[in-house]
Amino acid sequence: MAGRLILEDARRAPDGIDVQMSFDDLGTNLRDVTFVVVDLETTGGRPGAEEITEIGAVKSVGGTIVGEFATLVNPNQPIPPYITVLTGITTAMVMAAPRISRVLPAFFEFVGNSPDTVLVAHNARFDIGHLKAAAAALDLPFPRVMSLDTVQLARRTISKDETPNYKLGTLSRVIGTEVTPTHRALDDAKATEELLQFILGRLGPLGVSHLEDLKTITDAVPYRRRKKAHLADGLPRTPGVYRFIGPSGEVLYVGTSVNVYKRVRQYFTAAEKRTRIGEMVDLSVRVDATSTATKLEAQVLELRDIQTFDPPYNRRSKRPDKRPWLILTKEPHPRLSIVRSVAADDLPNALGPFTTWKSAKKAKDLLERVTHVRTCTPRLPLLPPPSARACSLLEMGRCSAPCVTGEPQEALDRAGRVLSGLVDDAVSHTMANLRLMAEREEFERAADERDRLAALVTTAGRKEQLTLLSTNAELRAARPVDHGWEIIVVRWGRLVGSAVAPTIADVLSTANTLAASSPAVDQPVLACGAAPIEEMEILYDWICSSGTRLLTSPPEPFAVSRRSPQRFSIDVER
């Protein structure tokens, strides 16, 4: 059995978990990368129009050369005199050499096709451009490897105060390579390989230790930010939550990832494009993290952390607890009212939670017009005084005027059905109004009415989803993943446990152990009060995803009504 409980306190140290990660998730250390440094001699500068006359390459791993490739190539044309002067290669020298059709497949075999191989050249646009043009002419697939240009790397690591230019011969003299470039392919490839190792040595203190770092190193990133890459050292390479901490110990930003270490390192490279987040990284002094058993657990913990710490650089989910509801007031002649919370016992007779107070107001306006429930705010006595007078809404047929009749409002039953989630009548009534407005070309009014209907229907669907979770004392569910089965335990809509079982045979025993060791949750006093609304929405989507199985029969059926408001879809312009 593998797994552990979710951490209720985000600052506690994580327990061990058993989650199988791929090598792609972990990243490739530069010590394990195969570098193939290549240099070409050609009859001219234009790839495709000119021919290759010599290929030289060296293969190295961990700074040690493990292979060499060198051959002249017959270009099937005379070598121009100025090329002979530059390289020393004459037409006579290449007459007996193999043609490119024989050389290129052998060279590609030397390079290999591993994702952990990097093809390196000094001015890679020239060398790799010629290789690709030759491959295209021969209809050969080019190796699917990363390419790297030592000219660009040198510009990032060797200042202009150290070298007058970035030609290979100049850089070779500056750093003192053992092999001197001679404009012959193998010598130049060996010199370039020494230059590469020099550059990697300079990049190490900047936090460039993995292949993934090299992919963005040539992009402009402030030195102070790249130097902070060590803040990711020691972070878990598993699903989890990370927190960037400011100079006073405050939480600046909370995020989540399936591989915390890999994700945090990206903040110190050009992969991070957001200016505001870059500012946050510059302020940070450390990164804390909590490892989790599953991605779902990490998402939930992220929401809780954002609610707890209110990080200044998180733009979303800051106050998930501030969600309004729509109810009928408890008085002799009720009216619709927007409130901040609802008692759990009143959940069947309340509509919510709405995403914003504005959307709650839209639904309230629509429901008042559809049902004709009273809209005046004074608290009315059961029996009206003799001096009571009705307002104009009575004459307009939009209110039964209980203020003067003392009779119960017939509209209350219609309003109560909608609040309970039965929105069919409201949808039919509003759609008829929308068709009429469209015929009259009252498009702005129709758009407002559509938005009011969308607020009503969407929230009714949300209430149905959350009710299924928040009214069940416990739910256990499992879902298949690549490395086994993810298992969760939910109590009153709150995630209390998450684990991974390696095989389907271990699912029930893992779920039982997880449930037995998960923290208890008291039945909430408020509707949907055991967890943030966004947490329950994430859990609902997870439980309803393909392949998920309920492991227990909950006291309240986990099923959607045939008259579910979720069957309606109202498109709203964003």
Side-chain angles (χ1 to χ4, degrees), residues 281-559:
V281 173
D282 292 341
L283 290 173
S284 301
V285 297
R286 76 173 193 273
V287 180
D288 295 342
T290 301
S291 178
T292 60
T294 61
K295 177 183 176 182
L296 174 68
E297 182 181 338
Q299 291 174 321
V300 169
L301 187 53
E302 177 192 29
L303 289 173
R304 296 181 188 176
D305 276 4
I306 291 173
Q307 185 176 15
T308 300
F309 300 117
D310 196 16
Y313 287 91
N314 282 91
R315 292 182 180 270
R316 64 180 182 87
S317 310
K318 283 194 173 182
R319 298 311 301 264
D321 55 327
K322 301 298 182 183
R323 297 291 188 90
W325 295 74
L326 188 58
I327 63 168
L328 286 169
T329 57
K330 295 182 179 180
E331 54 183 308
H333 299 289
R335 58 184 176 83
L336 290 170
S337 177
I338 302 173
V339 297
R340 295 189 179 276
S341 61
V342 171
D345 293 340
D346 293 333
L347 177 60
N349 303 314
L351 181 62
F354 289 86
T355 54
T356 63
W357 201 270
K358 183 179 180 180
S359 62
K361 181 66 168 57
K362 288 180 179 179
K364 177 175 179 288
D365 291 344
L366 179 65
L367 194 52
E368 285 174 340
R369 287 191 289 101
V370 169
T371 64
H372 296 167
V373 69
R374 78 178 183 97
T375 58
C376 53
T377 58
R379 185 180 181 89
L380 302 181
L382 181 61
L383 297 176
S387 59
R389 295 291 183 272
C391 65
S392 59
L393 292 178
L394 175 62
E395 297 179 4
M396 296 169 60
R398 294 180 55 182
C399 181
S400 60
C403 55
V404 295
T405 66
E407 297 293 329
Q409 304 174 82
E410 295 181 2
L412 293 180
D413 289 338
R414 295 193 295 271
R417 286 196 298 271
V418 176
L419 295 179
S420 70
L422 301 176
V423 299
D424 297 54
D425 291 343
V427 171
S428 299
H429 185 279
T430 306
M431 292 303 295
N433 283 343
L434 287 174
R435 285 190 289 270
L436 183 59
M437 293 176 188
E439 291 174 0
R440 295 173 177 174
E441 298 186 355
E442 297 173 343
F443 300 120
E444 291 187 6
R445 285 187 59 203
D448 291 339
E449 189 79 346
R450 175 206 58 200
D451 291 348
R452 285 186 281 266
L453 180 61
L456 180 72
V457 171
T458 301
T459 304
R462 181 183 300 112
K463 174 192 172 181
E464 182 178 51
Q465 295 176 2
L466 301 183
T467 299
L468 294 175
L469 286 171
S470 63
T471 58
N472 273 297
E474 181 177 287
L475 287 171
R476 302 180 194 177
R479 185 175 74 171
V481 291
D482 292 340
H483 52 277
W485 286 75
E486 290 181 348
I487 300 168
I488 64 171
V489 176
V490 180
R491 289 173 178 156
W492 302 113
R494 184 178 184 84
L495 179 66
V496 294
S498 170
V500 177
T503 68
I504 191 171
D506 301 307
V507 168
L508 290 180
S509 60
T510 300
N512 292 335
T513 302
L514 182 64
S517 54
S518 297
V521 176
D522 294 332
Q523 183 173 359
V525 176
L526 298 178
C528 303
I533 301 304
E534 290 185 353
E535 175 177 333
M536 284 190 273
E537 289 177 328
I538 291 175
L539 293 176
Y540 180 87
D541 289 341
W542 190 94
I543 292 173
C544 293
S545 62
S546 176
T548 302
R549 305 179 187 180
L550 290 178
L551 303 179
T552 55
S553 298
E556 296 294 331
F558 198 90

Side-chain angles (χ1 to χ4, degrees), residues 37-348:
V37 184
V38 64
D39 185 82
L40 305 181
E41 302 303 333
T42 67
T43 59
R46 292 181 299 168
E50 305 290 349
E51 297 293 332
I52 297 171
T53 60
E54 187 177 34
I55 299 178
V58 291
K59 180 183 293 186
S60 66
V61 179
T64 301
I65 294 180
V66 296
E68 295 183 0
F69 183 98
T71 182
L72 290 169
V73 181
N74 185 346
N76 200 33
Q77 66 181 58
I79 294 179
Y82 74 92
I83 296 294
T84 298
V85 171
L86 180 67
T87 66
I89 300 175
T90 65
T91 301
M93 290 172 60
V94 298
M95 288 293 290
R99 297 291 302 277
I100 191 65
S101 58
R102 288 177 53 196
V103 173
L104 202 57
F107 175 68
F108 285 172
E109 184 178 354
F110 176 78
V111 173
N113 209 31
S114 168
D116 296 337
T117 296
V118 179
L119 189 60
V120 185
H122 198 73
N123 189 11
R125 184 177 180 180
F126 173 86
D127 296 276
I128 296 179
H130 273 281
L131 289 172
K132 287 186 174 180
L138 296 172
D139 199 23
L140 286 176
F142 198 83
R144 299 181 62 182
V145 297
M146 174 182 166
S147 61
L148 207 59
D149 189 343
T150 49
V151 173
Q152 295 181 12
L153 289 176
R155 292 182 186 278
R156 293 287 298 157
T157 54
I158 302 175
S159 69
K160 292 182 178 180
D161 294 333
E162 297 176 274
T163 180
N165 58 61
Y166 293 92
K167 296 179 180 179
L168 181 60
T170 304
L171 292 172
S172 176
R173 290 193 299 271
V174 168
I175 69 174
T177 62
E178 293 184 6
V179 178
T180 300
T182 61
H183 288 293
R184 290 300 300 270
L186 186 59
D187 284 346
D188 287 8
K190 288 181 177 180
T192 303
E193 199 280 334
E194 290 187 62
L195 173 62
L196 172 67
Q197 296 304 325
F198 176 86
I199 291 171
L200 294 180
R202 285 201 168 184
L203 291 176
L206 299 181
V208 179
S209 59
H210 285 69
L211 177 59
E212 289 71 22
D213 303 326
L214 278 180
K215 294 178 180 178
T216 59
I217 189 62
T218 55
D219 295 324
V221 178
Y223 171 81
R224 66 182 182 277
R225 187 176 306 162
R226 193 177 291 279
K227 191 176 181 181
K228 284 188 174 185
H230 68 88
L231 296 181
D233 294 348
L235 295 180
R237 302 171 186 266
T238 65
V241 173
Y242 54 88
R243 307 168 199 87
F244 280 85
I245 309 300
S248 300
E250 71 277 23
V251 177
L252 299 177
Y253 181 81
V254 177
T256 182
S257 176
V258 295
N259 185 324
V260 171
Y261 170 79
K262 184 176 180 180
R263 178 66 186 98
V264 171
R265 283 190 67 88
Q266 291 176 347
Y267 285 92
F268 309 105
T269 70
E272 180 51 66
K273 305 293 186 183
R274 295 168 293 177
T275 302
R276 193 164 181 270
I277 296 300
E279 174 187 291
M280 179 276 297
V281 173
D282 292 341
L283 290 173
S284 301
V285 297
R286 76 173 193 273
V287 180
D288 295 342
T290 301
S291 178
T292 60
T294 61
K295 177 183 176 182
L296 174 68
E297 182 181 338
Q299 291 174 321
V300 169
L301 187 53
E302 177 192 29
L303 289 173
R304 296 181 188 176
D305 276 4
I306 291 173
Q307 185 176 15
T308 300
F309 300 117
D310 196 16
Y313 287 91
N314 282 91
R315 292 182 180 270
R316 64 180 182 87
S317 310
K318 283 194 173 182
R319 298 311 301 264
D321 55 327
K322 301 298 182 183
R323 297 291 188 90
W325 295 74
L326 188 58
I327 63 168
L328 286 169
T329 57
K330 295 182 179 180
E331 54 183 308
H333 299 289
R335 58 184 176 83
L336 290 170
S337 177
I338 302 173
V339 297
R340 295 189 179 276
S341 61
V342 171
D345 293 340
D346 293 333
L347 177 60

